[in-house]
Amino acid sequence: MRSLKHMSLLLSAMIVFLAACGTNSDKTLVEGKTNVVTSFYPLYYLASEIGGDRVNVVNLIPAGVEPHDWTPKSQDLTIASKAQLFLYNGAGLEGWTDDFLNGLPKNTGLITAEMSKGIELIHGNPEEEEEDHDHGEHDHDHGLDVDPHTWVSPKSAMVMAANVKDSLIQADPAHKEDFEANYDALAGKLEALNEEFESKLAAAPHKSIVVSHQAFGYLARDYGLTQIAITGLSPDAEPRAQDLLKVAKFVKSEGIKYIYFEEMVSPDLAKTIASETHTKLLVLNPIEGLTPKQEKAGEDYLSLMEKNLQHLLTGLQE
């Protein structure tokens, strides 16, 4: 009897813990709250922080799944059609958005909002423009002509947080004061993060980063860095042999000591460059989603961005 009671307490504790650090991967709606559906983790984080206990946030993409590879299923349409608010990044990240919204039943009252609105978007692929001009177009990025990775810069994240706040107020005006108070608290944290990025990266002696995936354009633009990417805007894009040679030559000529890779995509290309150039590997996280390990550990956008800053400083100080 004592053993059964002990097991029951353990199970209850586990349920509470998972509910606290998860991303509502079971996709359940809650009656009596404003139900918000988000397209991927950064928006889930912002909506949860700003919405607080007034909202129930459902994240469509489960932990450990790369957003570029995900497409919605019929059950996702059903969930969204019963919610009050749908938040998506836009800027080309969710190629499925138009079909998804067109597939929703009419007159559901669902409010939809694009969270990258108001951010000056980065168009094209700067590292490849010269090659495209000389050699003709090549399909590195599967049709992506806008960098969608807005949230990777704290400056852009502040714009997105304001968009989330405004959307929540539109969907649930009765709790405007709560949303504004929660937003103010989060905005203070994001501003502090931004100031830390500004001051510490400005003092770094080097400014070039070599990354496996061209996901850090906004971060580079906002904090005075130069991004050299092994692959393009889509993490599954295949670089040409001459692209790899060009990156390796840059690494050697500039004395780069670290190649940055991501945890949610294959590190093979980064390992190839690191092996060729005798450099080290280090994680730089685009925070497109949490891994199950990160989710279990209670990591969030702010903690992962702090780690990104420390890893950037390690590479730029060498």
Side-chain angles (χ1 to χ4, degrees):
M1 183 76 176
R2 182 179 178 182
S3 176
L4 286 172
K5 183 177 180 181
H6 181 66
M7 287 179 65
S8 176
L9 289 172
L10 280 175
L11 285 170
S12 297
M14 287 176 65
I15 290 169
V16 170
F17 173 76
L18 289 172
C21 70
T23 55
N24 198 351
S25 57
D26 58 351
K27 301 181 181 179
T28 54
L29 301 180
V30 176
E31 189 175 350
K33 290 191 176 186
T34 297
N35 287 287
V36 182
V37 174
T38 58
S39 63
F40 76 137
Y41 170 73
L43 298 183
Y44 173 89
Y45 171 76
L46 294 175
S48 298
E49 291 292 308
I50 298 169
D53 59 8
R54 299 296 186 183
V55 306
N56 172 61
V57 188
V58 175
N59 194 42
L60 290 181
I61 302 179
V65 176
E66 223 287 332
H68 293 277
D69 298 332
W70 185 86
T71 54
K73 298 177 175 60
S74 58
Q75 67 180 29
D76 299 309
L77 279 168
T78 301
I79 289 291
S81 69
K82 296 177 181 178
Q84 287 74 54
L85 180 62
F86 172 62
L87 304 178
Y88 63 101
N89 186 72
L93 178 69
E94 307 95 339
W96 44 266
T97 306
D98 288 344
D99 289 340
F100 184 80
L101 296 178
N102 288 333
L104 290 171
K106 306 302 179 185
N107 303 318
T108 63
L110 176 69
I111 295 171
T112 64
E114 182 177 356
M115 295 296 97
S116 61
K117 189 175 181 180
I119 297 170
E120 183 182 350
L121 299 179
I122 297 174
H123 293 263
N125 189 334
E127 282 76 22
E128 296 176 3
E129 283 178 357
E130 181 180 347
E131 293 171 2
D132 288 343
H133 180 267
D134 293 340
H135 305 291
E137 296 292 331
H138 51 87
D139 185 19
H140 271 258
D141 299 315
H142 302 277
L144 286 175
D145 58 1
V146 175
D147 186 343
H149 306 91
T150 52
W151 63 92
V152 186
S153 164
K155 283 187 188 297
S156 294
M158 290 190 289
V159 175
M160 296 173 72
N163 289 339
V164 170
K165 181 254 300 179
D166 291 343
S167 297
L168 286 171
I169 292 172
Q170 182 183 359
D172 184 6
H175 295 112
K176 176 182 178 180
E177 290 185 1
D178 293 327
F179 298 148
E180 288 180 336
N182 293 340
Y183 165 76
D184 288 342
L186 177 61
K189 296 176 184 177
L190 291 173
E191 179 57 43
L193 182 68
N194 170 57
E195 291 176 358
E196 188 179 12
F197 266 72
E198 283 186 333
S199 61
K200 292 184 176 180
L201 291 176
H206 299 290
K207 304 298 181 184
S208 295
I209 56 172
V210 176
V211 298
S212 60
H213 167 208
Q214 190 177 319
F216 303 93
Y218 294 92
L219 187 149
R221 180 185 71 184
D222 291 341
Y223 302 101
L225 304 179
T226 298
Q227 170 189 231
I228 306 299
I230 300 172
T231 63
L233 295 173
S234 295
D236 59 349
E238 290 293 332
R240 303 171 302 176
Q242 56 262 47
D243 297 326
L244 297 177
L245 289 172
K246 183 179 178 181
V247 172
K249 183 177 180 181
F250 178 86
V251 169
K252 292 176 181 177
S253 66
E254 295 296 316
I256 301 292
K257 302 300 182 183
Y258 286 90
I259 308 297
Y260 292 104
F261 74 100
E262 302 172 23
E263 294 169 296
M264 290 177 64
V265 297
S266 172
D268 289 348
L269 287 172
K271 287 181 177 179
T272 297
I273 296 293
S275 176
E276 171 66 25
T277 58
H278 306 290
T279 51
K280 301 175 184 177
L281 290 170
L282 199 56
V283 170
L284 192 60
N285 194 337
I287 318 183
E288 295 176 337
L290 299 181
T291 66
K293 182 179 179 181
Q294 290 165 344
E295 189 176 51
K296 185 177 180 181
E299 296 275 17
D300 63 17
Y301 175 85
L302 288 176
S303 67
L304 293 176
M305 284 301 293
E306 285 283 0
K307 288 182 179 179
N308 276 348
L309 178 57
Q310 296 310 312
H311 289 180
L312 283 168
L313 293 173
T314 296
L316 296 173
Q317 293 291 343
E318 290 286 338

